[in-house]
Amino acid sequence: MHIPDGFLTPTVTITTVTVAGAVLANSLKTVNASIKPDQIPLMGLLASFVFLIQLFSFPIPGGTSIHLTGALLISIILGPRAGFIILTVSLLALALLFQHGGVFSLGANVINMAAVGCFVGYALYNLIPGRRGAIILASMISGIVSAALCASELALSGMLELSAGIKTMSFIYGITGLIEGVITLLILEFLLKVKPEILGSET
Amino acid sequence: MKHAFIDRYAHLKSPIHELDVAKKLAAALSGLFLLLILLPLLDQTRTMSGLYIYSICALLVALGSKVPISFLLTRSVMVLPFSALIILVNFVSGNFSPGQTLEMILKSMLSIFTLLLLTSTTPFHELMKQLARWGAPRLFIIILAFMYRYFFLLVGEIEALERGIKMRHSQVGGWKRTQVYASIIGMLLIRSYERAENVYRAMRMRGFTGDFR
C-alpha cells in the first residue's frame, strides 16, 4: 500500500505532492494556532508510538498478520488535524529510514493513508451513530476509500487497469480496514478501562 | 540494549560522509528528480539508457562511501514484493508489458538506492537540522525530532511488555491472542502518554514556555 518511488508518472507525482503539501500546510497552521505547550511533547511521543505500531505486525486469527496505521486511533485522541500531521511525519520517517514508500510518492501516500485515514475516518466516526459500530465501519470504509485512491493513482500512471485495480485493492484493504477497526475498538475499550483521561486530549 | 540500527553506517569515515549535509541532501533530491520526473519524459529507449548511466554513477558513489554494497542492494530489492503485487494484478487483467515492468522496477530500486546512500552517509539529526535551515515548518521538525528520539525507548518498552506477556501465559490462540496484543498496544500508548507528561515537566523546568517558533 505504501507506493514506492518510480511507480507514478511525473504528472501524478507533482499533483499529489501539491495537494498533500497544501493540506499539510493548512493543518500545521491550524494546529500551530491552537496548540497548548504540553501538547508538543505529546504529539512527538504519539508520533513515535504510531511509527512503532506501523512497524509491528499484529497476529490475527487465521495465521496471517497485518500492521495497523493508527490513523483513526490518533484522530480520536488528538483530533484529525494533529492526527494527520503525526501520520505524515511517520510516513516520511518510514520512507527515509525503512524504505516503505518513497519520497516523491510521499504526496500520494500522505493523501491515501494520512488524509483519508484521519479526515475521512474521523468524519465517518462522528457521523455514524453508536460508538462500537462507528469505529469499525469508519475504519473499514476509509480502508476502501484509500485503496480506491491508491488504485486510481496507479491507473492514471498506466500501472494498472482501473476497474481491476480498484476491485482487487478495495477488497484487500476493506478487510484490513475491518480488522484495524476491531483492534482500534479493543484498544479504545482498554484505554477506557485503564486511563480514560487520554481520550479527552483533543487539540 | 543496542538500537542504533536505523542509520548504522552514518558514522563511518569516507569522503562522502564528510561532504556538507546541504550538498548531499540537494544531490539526493536532484537525483530523485532526474529519475522520477525528468527521465520518464523521454521516450522509452532513452529513459532506459539514462537509467543504466544513473546506476553506474550511483554504484561509483556507493563505492566511494565505504557503505557495504551488499547492504545497499538487499535493502533496494525490498521494493520487489510491491512490484510483484502490481505485476500479478496486471497478469490477471491481461495488461502485462515486460518493458514497462523492467523500467518501473529499475526506477524504484535506483530511488531507494539513492535515499539509502543519503541516510547511510548522514546522521538523521543532521538531515533534520538541514531541513529546518531550509525553512521546513518548525512544528513538523519538532515532532519528527521527538519521534526519532523516543522511538528507541518505545522499542525497549514494547520488548519488555512482550516478554512479560510471554512469561505470564505461554500460549494463547485466536481471539484471546488478538485481545492480548491490543492491550499491549494500549499499554504502550498509555506509557507514551505518561512519558510525554514527564518530558513536558522537564521542559518547563528548563524554561520552555510553549514558544518553539
Side-chain angles (χ1 to χ4, degrees):
Chain A
M1 186 74 156
H2 297 254
I3 304 175
D5 276 333
F7 285 59
L8 301 173
T9 52
T11 329
V12 178
T13 306
I14 293 170
T15 318
T16 48
V17 167
T18 315
V19 173
V23 180
L24 180 63
N26 180 276
S27 304
L28 280 168
K29 212 176 122 196
T30 321
V31 171
N32 237 336
S34 66
I35 195 167
K36 294 188 221 79
D38 61 327
Q39 282 170 328
I40 295 166
L42 181 61
M43 278 180 78
L45 261 295
L46 290 188
S48 218
F49 165 81
V50 164
F51 185 55
L52 186 62
I53 62 168
Q54 290 181 344
L55 288 169
F56 179 77
S57 42
F58 207 102
I60 50 170
T64 43
S65 68
I66 62 158
H67 82 83
L68 303 180
T69 66
L72 185 58
L73 181 65
I74 291 297
S75 300
I76 292 176
I77 297 173
L78 282 177
R81 286 197 181 83
F84 172 77
I85 297 172
I86 288 176
L87 265 280
T88 305
V89 167
S90 165
L91 284 173
L92 175 68
L94 280 173
L96 282 179
L97 301 170
F98 289 91
Q99 294 80 47
H100 287 298
V103 169
F104 275 50
S105 58
L106 197 61
N109 289 330
V110 163
I111 296 175
N112 302 344
M113 286 178 277
V116 171
C118 297
F119 295 121
V120 177
Y122 190 73
L124 287 167
Y125 166 73
N126 279 333
L127 269 174
I128 303 169
R131 207 174 52 87
R132 290 170 170 231
I135 291 171
I136 294 174
L137 268 179
S139 179
M140 186 177 158
I141 297 171
S142 52
I144 293 173
V145 173
S146 71
L149 274 175
C150 176
S152 324
E153 285 149 6
L154 290 168
L156 279 173
S157 302
M159 284 291 152
L160 284 175
E161 199 259 313
L162 185 65
S163 67
I166 289 189
K167 273 181 212 148
T168 331
M169 294 188 65
S170 309
F171 180 71
I172 298 174
Y173 288 100
I175 294 177
T176 359
L178 175 71
I179 298 168
E180 165 143 16
V182 174
I183 296 170
T184 305
L185 178 63
L186 288 174
I187 297 173
L188 285 172
E189 307 256 281
F190 177 81
L191 290 180
L192 277 177
K193 216 164 39 186
V194 182
K195 200 174 168 77
E197 62 268 33
I198 289 187
L199 299 175
S201 33
E202 189 168 327
T203 49
Chain B
M1 263 194 288
K2 192 167 155 279
H3 287 309
F5 55 81
I6 284 185
D7 45 5
R8 64 180 141 171
Y9 295 112
H11 301 282
L12 295 176
K13 284 221 178 316
S14 85
I16 313 279
H17 284 77
E18 273 153 34
L19 273 179
D20 182 35
V21 188
K23 282 183 198 145
K24 270 189 280 189
L25 188 54
L29 290 176
S30 338
L32 291 180
F33 191 77
L34 182 70
L35 273 178
L36 303 168
I37 310 286
L38 294 182
L39 281 179
L41 296 175
L42 303 173
D43 62 75
Q44 204 177 12
T45 39
R46 285 192 189 162
T47 306
M48 285 311 282
S49 24
L51 291 177
Y52 293 135
I53 298 171
Y54 190 98
S55 343
I56 296 169
C57 300
L59 274 176
L60 288 178
V61 178
L63 285 174
S65 73
K66 293 187 188 159
V67 178
I69 299 285
S70 56
F71 164 79
L72 295 172
L73 289 178
T74 36
R75 285 294 192 93
S76 301
V77 295
M78 273 175 50
V79 71
L80 291 179
F82 196 89
S83 318
L85 186 75
I86 303 267
I87 294 169
L88 186 76
V89 178
N90 278 336
F91 251 129
V92 173
S93 61
N95 277 330
F96 180 70
S97 117
Q100 197 202 14
T101 311
L102 179 67
E103 187 192 318
M104 164 188 97
I105 291 179
L106 205 54
K107 261 196 302 189
S108 39
M109 281 180 61
L110 286 173
S111 312
I112 294 190
F113 197 90
T114 309
L115 280 175
L116 277 171
L117 268 178
L118 174 70
T119 51
S120 356
T121 56
T122 322
F124 195 65
H125 61 93
E126 294 284 340
L127 281 180
M128 287 190 286
K129 255 192 238 166
Q130 189 54 47
L131 287 175
R133 262 182 242 130
W134 280 351
R138 294 286 289 158
L139 182 61
F140 191 82
I141 297 292
I142 285 183
I143 296 174
L144 189 61
F146 261 111
M147 192 209 80
Y148 187 68
R149 170 65 186 84
Y150 287 99
F151 172 70
F152 301 100
L153 284 171
L154 293 195
V155 170
E157 290 199 347
I158 207 166
E159 282 170 357
L161 283 168
E162 264 193 306
R163 208 177 309 129
I165 283 192
K166 270 193 196 132
M167 269 168 64
R168 285 176 181 86
H169 39 145
S170 50
Q171 274 302 313
V172 287
W175 178 241
K176 187 74 198 157
R177 191 174 159 83
T178 310
Q179 277 180 317
V180 167
Y181 273 84
S183 52
I184 294 188
I185 293 184
M187 202 57 224
L188 186 70
L189 182 64
I190 292 174
R191 292 197 183 172
S192 317
Y193 185 89
E194 286 171 350
R195 194 184 284 276
E197 291 176 332
N198 290 333
V199 169
Y200 175 62
R201 262 180 238 125
M203 284 163 74
R204 280 233 349 227
M205 223 167 69
R206 289 165 177 76
F208 177 73
T209 52
D211 186 28
F212 56 88
R213 288 165 197 92

